[in-house]
Amino acid sequence: MDAIAVEGLVKRFGTFVAVDGISFAVPEGSVFGLLGANGAGKSTAIRMLCGLLEPSSGRASVAGIDVAADPEGVKRSIGYMSQRFSLYEDLTVIENIRFFAGLYAISRRKVETEAERVLALIGLAGREGSLAGELPGGFKQRLALGCALLHAPKVLFLDEPTAGVDPLARRRFWDIIYEVADSGSTVLVTTHYLDEAEYCATVTLMHAGRIVAKGSPAGLKAERFPGAMLEVDCDRPAEAIAALAADGRIEEASLFGSRLHAALAPGLGDREDAEETVRAALAAAGFAVRSVERIPPSLEDVFIRVISESAKGGPL
Amino acid sequence: MNGRVGALVRKEFRHISRDPGTLGALLVVPLFLLAMFGWAISLDVNDVPLLVRDLDHTAESRALTAAFFSSGRFSRMDDGRDAGEALDSGRAAATLELPRGFARSLGRGETAAVQVLVDGSDATRAATVIGYVEGIVMRFGAERITLKAAKAGVALPSALDTRPRVLFNQDLRSVNNLVPGLVAIILIISAVISTALAVVREKELGSMEQLVVSPVESWELVAGKTLPYATIGLISAALVLGAGFLLFGVTVKGSILELAFMTTLFVFACLSLGILISTAAPTQQVAFLASAMLTLLPTFLLSGFVFPIRNMPPIIQAITWLFPTKYYIEILQALLLKGVGIGSYWRSALALLVYALAAASIASVRFARSRGR
């Protein structure tokens, strides 16, 4: 059974359509990424799934409960953690935990064992007496996650949980997310960090209220970049883009830092001389090439392509 | 108590205990205000420094002068000959000049003039002083006439004999009037301002979002937020009443039960107002300003606490009807000072009830809407 099932979900605010008929399903125990820029409709979608907003049309069920029919039932079976650290800094770790245990009506007998389980999971055992406000940023994030996990929710919503946290702490955070998913909970996470999206089993990209790409990270890459992807280090990279784009064998060129990413047309990538093709094209146009390397495409490459295609009205 | 409300209440008390400023503001400041208003700022007029220039030096002139000081309202200022200078410098608040020939005029049965100059820079005080002066001079004159008539063997009917008796606040002490006002102000600070701040703080922190996705219902959230501040407000009000009794002998003359009931009604109105403000205010600063402007200022200025409503222009008097404190202070005055029952203040009680119900319904509708459903 799918932990989250969404079918033709729409949310209108007046004449503005924030979410425009999205559909997806998340199998139980998986980690699902919802990606997109600010204003793409991610937050509105999450708010509907959490039972905070009534859908204008379409259907959505979370943990088998229809969100429009029983929003309170949804709230009892989900955990939620938002992008802003939203615990109480003047309370200690254990006081925050007890408070959320109280909100979810966890019985007095169970509170201590649940607190122990969560503290071990988030690696804060032994820090019970510290004020939440005195914890380092990454610890706060883990505490917020722990509070959302106290009542063992079937579905966990994480709304940009790692915004503003250093990479090491982010890595640690994702280890915990995997443990949660392994124990059978389903996790839906939104993020701006596309490298982070690689951790998800399935990702969905929203743009202007609609889903423009959906699949596993590897599947999306293979589907959108059937040819080889090359990273080029050359002179005047900004001008070199035009020279590469003029070459019919190169599908797309874009700037990444001081380097170029060039996607070759399907078929060319299989040949050994893909690097030579690019080298020759640039040399002919008068650019000095320092290096050309074959790289796997990143999700960022995928999404740039998807969004630019959808902006041109091309195939999705 | 419901488990979720209990968790919210415990959490709120923890916040308060971690922030000594809040608790101090709610419990200590009111007592400080009471002491300050009760001792330092007296609205009573006593010991008015009076400069006497007796140019007549007769038994009659001395008798009139003595009448001034025996009243207990004036204290004597002997030094300084220049009445103008004494008033200018503020050393004297009033001067009394008895002209040469004062006793002679009296003896001939003519009108004898005395000159009294009063410092009018404080109009309220000046009005009171003039009242004292007129009373003393009239009595002196009346006694002279009675005496003269008796000597002549004529029995004069004492035509008018005014003996005012002050009811309810027999000593005319302003502290008696301050206690009701202070009780109202304390309840406003804790029930309106603290409640509004506590709710808006959750919005600012982002923790409101966390509460909204939890199974907590609107009424539980409101109860959890308001009960702690209502409790502290009531404790603080009881402290002020107790201190008013111990320090100034202000007693509750009416029924304690009615007092408790009416106070609960007022607190309910205040909490609703606090929640209402919190639904409109995006930040704690706005919440504080809005609640201070809507409740604290009108309480000081328009509720009759410091400035009597009767002396205000009709338009301002009409505005005072918009604020609940006015009704509560009327009820407190009835219960604390007059010792009368609901029969005499039912209009104020009814107005307070209507106000509380209206504020509560608007607040609950707006609060539920602000939570997204």
Side-chain angles (χ1 to χ4, degrees), chain B residues 128-285:
Chain B
T128 313
V129 170
I130 291 169
Y132 293 158
V133 169
E134 282 174 348
I136 291 165
V137 173
M138 290 252 288
R139 178 167 301 208
F140 180 78
E143 274 168 10
R144 294 273 319 165
I145 292 170
T146 321
L147 212 68
K148 220 170 169 181
K151 268 186 194 158
V154 186
L156 270 184
S158 63
L160 283 172
D161 185 10
T162 322
R163 293 196 181 171
R165 230 183 95 213
V166 179
L167 294 180
F168 311 135
N169 181 4
Q170 281 87 342
D171 311 330
L172 285 177
R173 287 187 316 164
S174 37
V175 67
N176 288 355
N177 204 25
L178 287 168
V179 169
L182 267 180
V183 168
I185 281 185
I186 290 156
L187 291 175
I188 279 177
I189 292 176
S190 53
V192 182
I193 301 185
S194 301
T195 304
L197 286 181
V199 176
V200 174
R201 189 172 54 219
E202 301 259 7
K203 280 205 270 186
E204 270 188 317
L205 265 176
S207 47
M208 192 52 106
E209 218 177 311
Q210 202 73 50
L211 296 178
V212 165
V213 286
S214 79
V216 170
E217 288 176 34
S218 285
W219 76 265
E220 293 171 325
L221 199 50
V222 168
K225 277 280 158 198
T226 52
L227 283 176
Y229 294 101
T231 310
I232 292 178
L234 289 174
I235 290 174
S236 187
L239 276 179
V240 164
L241 282 179
F245 173 68
L246 289 176
L247 301 177
F248 303 107
V250 179
T251 52
V252 179
K253 292 184 183 163
S255 143
I256 298 269
L257 198 71
E258 279 180 40
L259 178 67
F261 186 76
M262 286 298 145
T263 301
T264 309
L265 185 61
F266 179 64
V267 167
F268 182 69
C270 285
L271 294 174
S272 307
L273 205 56
I275 294 288
L276 189 58
I277 289 167
S278 79
T279 62
T283 64
Q284 290 191 70
Q285 272 179 335

Side-chain angles (χ1 to χ4, degrees), chain A:
Chain A
M1 197 192 87
D2 289 326
I4 305 175
V6 177
E7 261 182 57
L9 199 62
V10 175
K11 182 67 198 181
R12 281 184 220 95
F13 296 105
T15 56
F16 174 68
V17 185
V19 172
D20 190 5
I22 59 171
S23 303
F24 60 85
V26 184
E28 227 167 77
S30 67
V31 179
F32 182 87
L34 189 58
L35 315 174
N38 282 334
K42 287 176 303 182
S43 299
T44 308
I46 282 209
R47 290 177 71 79
M48 283 192 279
L49 294 180
C50 292
L52 297 180
L53 268 180
E54 210 170 336
S56 304
S57 67
R59 286 198 37 201
S61 72
V62 171
I65 304 168
D66 190 298
V67 296
D70 184 12
E72 296 305 317
V74 169
K75 287 181 187 176
R76 276 191 293 274
S77 8
I78 62 165
Y80 173 87
M81 179 194 157
S82 78
Q83 48 192 317
R84 290 170 65 193
F85 176 65
S86 50
L87 296 179
Y88 302 100
E89 306 218 331
D90 55 342
L91 300 188
T92 64
V93 169
I94 194 72
E95 283 166 353
N96 268 298
I97 287 181
R98 289 207 185 106
F99 171 62
F100 281 96
L103 287 192
Y104 286 91
I106 296 174
S107 72
R108 219 166 268 269
R109 282 180 299 117
K110 272 182 72 188
V111 169
E112 296 310 313
T113 56
E114 289 301 295
E116 225 166 273
R117 171 182 71 86
V118 163
L119 282 168
L121 177 68
I122 61 177
L124 281 177
R127 303 287 300 254
E128 291 87 348
S130 312
L131 284 180
E134 288 167 0
L135 294 175
F139 283 56
K140 287 185 194 173
Q141 231 94 16
R142 268 145 55 195
L143 176 58
L145 178 63
C147 289
L149 290 172
L150 277 169
H151 58 295
K154 295 198 183 96
V155 180
L156 178 63
F157 289 92
L158 303 172
D159 191 5
E160 307 211 351
T162 56
V165 174
D166 68 82
L168 208 69
R170 266 206 277 157
R171 182 69 239 193
R172 180 85 202 267
F173 192 83
W174 274 92
D175 289 341
I176 300 171
I177 294 180
Y178 282 137
E179 269 190 64
V180 171
D182 279 346
S183 68
S185 293
T186 308
V187 181
L188 186 150
V189 57
T190 71
T191 180
H192 276 335
Y193 299 108
L194 288 173
D195 58 325
E196 218 170 66
E198 310 259 3
Y199 300 142
C200 301
T202 314
V203 295
T204 291
L205 177 68
M206 282 188 77
H207 182 65
R210 317 181 69 149
I211 291 177
V212 290
K214 184 158 60 172
S216 69
L220 278 172
K221 289 171 194 170
E223 176 193 321
R224 300 286 166 167
F225 291 95
M229 170 68 94
L230 300 171
E231 186 176 68
V232 183
D233 184 9
C234 66
D235 279 347
R236 294 173 282 136
E239 292 165 45
I241 289 180
L244 286 174
D247 194 302
R249 290 164 299 177
I250 293 154
E251 272 200 328
E252 192 184 301
S254 49
L255 200 59
F256 275 74
S258 63
R259 293 167 183 231
L260 292 176
H261 283 188
L264 271 67
L268 278 173
D270 304 333
R271 284 164 47 181
E272 286 301 312
D273 59 354
E275 287 94 332
E276 272 318 301
T277 308
V278 170
R279 215 177 259 279
L282 283 173
F287 292 93
V289 179
R290 281 183 289 275
S291 73
V292 178
E293 256 179 86
R294 200 179 273 252
I295 53 160
S298 67
L299 269 180
E300 196 165 345
D301 294 316
V302 172
F303 290 144
I304 288 172
R305 172 165 284 196
V306 167
I307 287 174
S308 62
E309 277 170 3
S310 81
K312 281 183 219 144
L316 290 182

